[in-house]
Amino acid sequence: MSAPAPSPPIGLLLREWRQRRRRSQLDLALDAEVSTRHLSYVESGRASPSREMVLRLAEQLDVPLRARNTLLLAAGYAPAYRDAPLADPAMAGARQALEMILAAQAPNPALAVDRHWQIVATNAAVAPLLAGIAEPSLLAPPVNAMRLSLHPGGLAPRIGNFVEWRSHLLERLRRQVDAGGDPVLAALLAELQALPAPPRAVPTIPALIPGGVVVPLVLETAAGRLTLLSTTTVFGNPAEVTLSELAIESFYPADPETAAWLRSI
């Protein structure tokens, strides 16, 4: 059995994050209140950063909490942020808060996703929108919200503005990959880009976009056309890895007909 690959040195990791954020050494050093020379030494491996410096640089670079723990470990320090699965008893308070937020969105659909777009919780208004999905395996846990939306066996054939919605989702995913370099998200992006479009998927007329300022989700259902506007909510100032990676996707009616249908279910 081969030994696991050694972790990259702290200097290399810091330089990768600095370059990903398009920051110069001088710019970062000024904001973090360290000397440019010392930062250069840290990145080259000629100096070891203190725990406080690692956290200060990570804060200035807006490094996600999970990756901050990785930086600390690479520098020889213990992780600073707890990383417990949502099902852990220690996360009971977070689960309760999440369930309350989702329930409060009713009758509007809302779901919570993790950093890889796996659905971890939904409210009752989501299930009616997913009834009759052609490919049951897409609904087998863990359900990936991006894959469910764009797969030809998922919601894709029902999306009336598929070209625009697909472009919106892929651009959002592409920004996440660029910002964090997550290989799982990069693989998901490549997979979704390769999926075929449903038959008759063509750019829709501008009138489908209310006010021309947002891209709605237009669903064709047995009850008629539903037009939904989406918002994303994250927890403010989280100090726990799992909570910091959760996002709540809520969908609101963009017209009276959609609002009436949501109230009816």
Side-chain angles (χ1 to χ4, degrees):
M1 183 175 179
S2 59
S7 173
I10 178 62
L12 177 60
L13 292 176
L14 285 172
R15 182 166 67 246
E16 288 177 349
W17 277 106
R18 178 177 60 76
Q19 293 173 342
R20 184 173 290 127
R21 297 293 186 256
R22 295 177 173 83
R23 303 281 297 274
S24 67
Q25 283 188 344
L26 176 59
D27 177 44
L28 177 58
L30 288 173
D31 287 345
E33 298 181 342
V34 301
S35 73
T36 306
R37 181 179 183 182
H38 187 54
L39 178 58
S40 176
Y41 278 17
V42 168
E43 289 191 358
S44 66
R46 298 171 64 185
S48 299
S50 66
R51 177 185 176 87
E52 291 70 23
M53 177 176 287
V54 172
L55 291 173
R56 194 186 315 160
L57 292 172
E59 178 71 22
Q60 292 298 325
L61 292 170
D62 194 25
V63 176
L65 300 192
R66 183 179 298 275
R68 295 187 194 193
N69 280 346
T70 299
L71 291 175
L72 288 168
L73 287 170
Y77 304 111
Y81 305 97
R82 186 179 64 182
D83 182 9
L86 200 58
D88 191 287
M91 296 290 286
R95 289 197 307 275
Q96 183 179 17
L98 181 61
E99 290 166 2
M100 289 175 60
I101 294 171
L102 292 175
Q105 303 305 305
N108 304 313
L111 57 140
V113 296
D114 66 14
R115 73 188 192 280
H116 293 147
W117 287 91
Q118 308 285 13
I119 298 177
V120 299
T122 70
N123 67 7
V126 171
L129 299 179
L130 303 181
I133 289 293
E135 180 53 63
S137 65
L138 293 172
L139 297 177
V143 178
N144 187 279
M146 284 279 189
R147 185 179 294 114
L148 181 62
S149 295
L150 300 183
H151 196 283
L155 287 175
R158 305 182 191 177
I159 298 178
N161 60 336
F162 179 81
V163 173
E164 289 80 6
W165 187 250
R166 176 183 184 273
S167 177
H168 162 67
L169 291 188
L170 292 184
E171 178 57 30
R172 186 171 174 184
L173 187 54
R174 191 176 294 110
R175 288 198 301 267
Q176 288 181 292
V177 172
D178 291 343
D182 189 317
V184 175
L185 289 180
L188 178 62
L189 176 60
E191 174 194 339
L192 298 182
Q193 287 175 323
L195 289 176
R200 301 183 300 279
V202 296
T204 54
I205 58 176
L208 285 181
I209 304 176
V213 294
V214 295
V215 178
L217 171 60
V218 180
L219 282 179
E220 305 292 350
T221 73
R225 170 174 287 173
L226 305 179
T227 306
L228 300 161
L229 305 179
S230 65
T231 66
T232 302
T233 304
V234 296
F235 287 92
N237 302 316
E240 199 282 335
V241 172
T242 299
L243 200 60
S244 74
E245 295 172 341
L246 289 182
I248 298 171
E249 302 291 325
S250 303
F251 295 86
Y252 299 95
D255 55 46
E257 294 77 17
T258 301
W261 186 84
L262 289 174
R263 288 194 299 270
S264 73
I265 64 170

